Amino acid sequence: MNDLISRLLAHERIRAARRHVERADDVTLARQAALSATPAPTGAEGARGARVAELFREIGLSHVGVDQAGNVCGWLANGHGSAPVVLAAHLDTVFGPEVDVRVKRRGQRLEGPGISDNARGLAALLAVAEAIVATGVPTARPILFAATVGEEGSGDLRGVKYLLNGKRETGNGKPAAFIALDGAGLERVIHRALGSKRYHVTFRGPGGHSWAAFGVANPANAVGRAAALLADLPIATAPRTTCAVVGLGGGTGLNSIPQDAWLDLDLRSEDPRALAQLDVTVRAALERAADDENRTRSTGTPPLRLEVQLVGDRPCGLTPRAHPLVQAAIAANRALGRDCELASASTDANAPIALGIPAIALGAGGKAGDAHLTTEWFENVEGALGIVRALLVTAAMAEVG
């Protein structure tokens, strides 16, 4: 794979594409800022998606369109008839419609909610597409450029699942490779999919006056019992597995026993068996919390009911280190003179990995911080180099002639 990347770096069209990326660095940064300033909460990505579709058309991609899920897709149709390579970046941010997403420049730093995650990934997606089209890079495989919806939190990878599961846009069978561009950075190659199960758990009871009805099973007490039990669970460290209470609430007033109370849970692991075992353990803890609270209730009063709603299910798995896709990314880093860190994360790459499609996620160059905070920032330090890496990996998988 080192030889392949070396040949690509010497390829006349790839060299031209690299120069295009480097010359267009200011244009890429301006697109990044403009896209970041276009609101795109999970589930409301339409305005940003419409702008990406316009840019896809301006770049010269073919068959540009928006699918029923809201994903924006455009094709480079070289080698049509063979399994495509998918290069993707997600449209949505973690920020709601009430958040001011305007971008501020402070010296070399851009500041704004979502400026890195994932305005940087989208800008890099556009930059790679434009460089390949503008310089006529010949590929044996078609390339599908996709801006996906629903990657963050409650989106539960809705866009990429729709894109891949129904084969609506990906052409002939499974893609040959899937590369997600997510955020900033140059060192990490994410080839292990961090899986998760997310639950909204509700305890329901009769409720009543805090004095007159005292003794009925109390949903708020059950939430407290559940949180304590979950905090004390033995958690595996190899593979690393976690269970976090990420939200709780309930009640209507200071003098009322609530009729319902709730907590939200986030279970994670890199290993599907460990995640499945944790799931069983957590459900048993929730049942125990309900049983413990019910045992304390006054005779003749109704028991609590437990409701567990699955609100997120991200599969785990990995693309093996020895796979040509991972090796291409490692070789690209090496050829560009940068260290490589093989890593785990939850990204759009989770879904293709679960379907048996080779997939990785890459940062798109530059440095960033305060992800998922309104103080998020990006600095364009070696930003073009991150895009060149994405170009090389895409070209390797698309079999440049």
Side-chain angles (χ1 to χ4, degrees), residues 7-386:
R7 289 197 301 273
L8 286 174
L9 284 168
H11 193 289
E12 179 184 359
R13 297 294 178 89
I14 294 296
R15 290 170 60 192
R18 178 175 183 173
R19 289 194 297 270
H20 190 285
V21 167
E22 292 168 344
R23 287 197 303 267
D25 199 30
D26 288 342
V27 173
T28 297
L29 201 62
R31 285 175 176 164
Q32 180 180 344
L35 289 169
S36 187
T38 304
T42 300
E45 303 96 338
R48 184 177 289 184
R51 180 55 184 149
V52 170
E54 289 175 1
L55 291 167
F56 275 179
R57 294 187 183 97
E58 290 175 13
I59 286 167
L61 295 180
S62 64
H63 300 94
V64 174
V66 180
D67 67 22
Q68 291 184 1
N71 301 312
V72 182
C73 300
W75 283 91
L76 180 70
N78 295 350
H80 199 69
S82 55
V85 172
V86 181
L87 186 65
H90 69 87
L91 287 161
D92 58 323
T93 74
V94 299
F95 304 100
E98 75 285 355
V99 174
D100 182 355
V101 293
R102 286 178 293 182
V103 176
K104 302 178 182 67
R105 182 183 287 275
R106 303 187 192 279
Q108 296 302 307
R109 177 173 288 191
L110 294 176
E111 295 182 358
I115 187 63
S116 174
D117 184 10
N118 193 34
R120 181 61 187 175
L122 289 168
L125 177 72
L126 291 160
V128 172
E130 186 172 51
I132 291 176
V133 172
T135 59
V137 174
T139 62
R141 294 186 181 279
I143 304 173
L144 171 61
F145 296 90
T148 60
V149 298
E151 190 273 345
E152 298 287 5
S154 61
D156 198 34
L157 307 182
R158 178 174 61 87
V160 70
K161 287 176 179 178
Y162 181 92
L163 185 73
L164 298 175
N165 285 340
K167 302 175 186 174
R168 295 168 176 84
E169 290 289 345
T170 52
N172 298 295
K174 291 182 178 179
F178 183 103
I179 304 155
L181 299 176
D182 202 329
L186 187 57
E187 287 74 29
R188 295 208 309 164
V189 174
I190 297 165
H191 73 117
R192 302 193 306 275
L194 178 59
S196 66
K197 285 185 177 291
R198 290 163 177 166
Y199 290 106
H200 182 71
V201 180
T202 306
F203 295 92
R204 301 191 188 278
H209 193 281
S210 56
W211 171 264
F214 187 80
V216 300
N218 189 330
N221 288 350
V223 164
R225 294 177 189 275
L229 288 169
L230 295 172
D232 290 338
L233 288 180
I235 296 297
T237 57
R240 187 180 179 213
T241 305
T242 63
C243 172
V245 177
V246 296
L248 48 83
T252 57
L254 290 175
N255 59 347
S256 300
I257 295 170
Q259 289 184 301
D260 56 72
W262 57 268
L263 70 163
D264 288 336
L265 304 178
D266 184 14
L267 287 58
R268 296 191 180 221
S269 182
E270 297 177 4
D271 182 83
R273 288 170 296 183
L275 186 59
Q277 181 56 58
L278 177 62
D279 189 42
V280 171
T281 303
V282 165
R283 286 176 175 270
L286 296 173
E287 294 283 357
R288 179 181 167 186
D291 290 343
D292 288 349
E293 179 60 21
N294 280 329
R295 277 196 292 271
T296 70
R297 76 186 193 276
S298 300
T299 303
T301 59
L304 288 178
R305 303 190 314 277
L306 169 64
E307 299 174 4
V308 181
Q309 179 186 4
L310 179 67
V311 294
D313 189 0
R314 296 182 177 225
C316 41
L318 82 163
T319 301
R321 178 180 181 138
H323 191 278
L325 174 58
V326 181
Q327 288 298 306
I330 294 171
N333 268 53
R334 186 178 295 117
L336 295 172
R338 294 298 178 269
D339 293 333
C340 181
E341 174 193 352
L342 296 179
S344 169
S346 179
T347 70
D348 266 346
N350 285 44
I353 286 173
L355 293 170
I357 298 167
I360 59 173
L362 302 173
K367 295 183 178 180
D370 290 355
H372 290 196
L373 300 176
T374 56
T375 52
E376 189 171 350
W377 57 268
F378 175 85
E379 292 180 358
N380 195 33
V381 179
E382 297 185 325
L385 207 60

